[in-house]
Amino acid sequence: MCIRDSNESVLLIKKLKNGVDSEIKRYDFHSKKWQDEVFSYHSKEIVIIEGILVLCIEGLRDLIDYSVFLNLSEMVALNRRIQRSGHAESNIRRWKTVSQQYYRDILPCAKYANLILDSENSSTEEMADRIYSMVKI
């Protein structure tokens, strides 16, 4: 899910938490434009929100019952950014600025997470086990 602004994201999550199904247009990272295609989200007992800015938005934090911050190495983060956009050269060129913004704006929001996981010291299975044992789905 890619949401245009924090107000829209808060409204969407409020609807889902209150049992109301919702829709949102798809954002294309390659063209950097909103598409006509619409994604439908159905209200469920558990709603998973994924995104680098989720814990930085106070209105979203207030709606979250349990949060996990996944701390990635810079190399993994850069590789994911390249895969998402498909533009290696421009992402590598901008990486210094982007990584500085991460350390300044995103990493400090980890303090709001119930659980912080470090991808360097844990396997995917170990991290999933920790989340499962804390959330008790």
Side-chain angles (χ1 to χ4, degrees), residues 17 45-47 49 60-67 114:
K17 284 192 77 159
E45 184 177 342
I46 295 174
V47 177
I49 309 168
L60 275 180
R61 285 196 312 262
D62 294 342
L63 297 171
I64 296 171
D65 297 318
Y66 189 84
S67 61
N114 298 96

Side-chain angles (χ1 to χ4, degrees), residues 6 15 19 22 35 39 45 55 59 70 73 82 87 130-132 135:
S6 60
K15 285 181 182 179
S22 298
Q35 306 300 305
F39 289 113
E45 184 177 342
L55 293 175
L70 179 58
S73 71
I82 291 169
H87 302 288
R130 285 195 61 198
I131 294 168
Y132 183 79
V135 177

Side-chain angles (χ1 to χ4, degrees), residues 8-131:
E8 187 175 354
S9 63
V10 170
L11 290 173
L12 176 69
I13 301 307
K14 279 184 179 179
K15 285 181 182 179
L16 293 174
K17 284 192 77 159
N18 289 318
V20 178
D21 293 347
S22 298
E23 293 183 340
I24 192 164
K25 285 188 173 185
R26 183 178 74 83
Y27 182 78
D28 183 348
F29 285 95
H30 295 289
S31 68
K32 296 183 171 70
K33 294 181 181 177
W34 292 95
Q35 306 300 305
D36 290 332
E37 181 182 3
V38 174
F39 289 113
S40 295
Y41 294 94
H42 303 287
S43 179
K44 302 286 182 183
E45 184 177 342
I46 295 174
V47 177
I48 298 174
I49 309 168
E50 182 275 340
I52 191 168
L53 297 172
V54 170
L55 293 175
C56 299
I57 301 169
E58 185 177 1
L60 275 180
R61 285 196 312 262
D62 294 342
L63 297 171
I64 296 171
D65 297 318
Y66 189 84
S67 61
V68 177
F69 186 90
L70 179 58
N71 195 15
L72 302 174
S73 71
E74 283 197 37
M75 200 56 163
V76 169
L78 175 58
N79 286 332
R80 285 185 178 186
R81 184 179 174 87
I82 291 169
Q83 286 175 344
R84 186 174 57 245
S85 72
H87 302 288
E89 189 175 312
S90 63
N91 279 302
I92 291 169
R93 195 172 46 249
R94 294 189 62 230
W95 185 249
K96 182 177 181 181
T97 301
V98 170
S99 64
Q100 288 172 347
Q101 291 170 337
Y102 169 80
Y103 286 107
R104 184 189 68 220
D105 301 328
I106 308 301
L107 189 58
C109 294
K111 68 185 176 192
Y112 300 115
N114 298 96
L115 176 64
I116 299 173
L117 296 174
D118 188 345
S119 68
E120 291 292 307
N121 299 319
S122 303
S123 70
T124 302
E125 293 78 17
E126 291 170 329
M127 290 187 289
D129 286 345
R130 285 195 61 198
I131 294 168

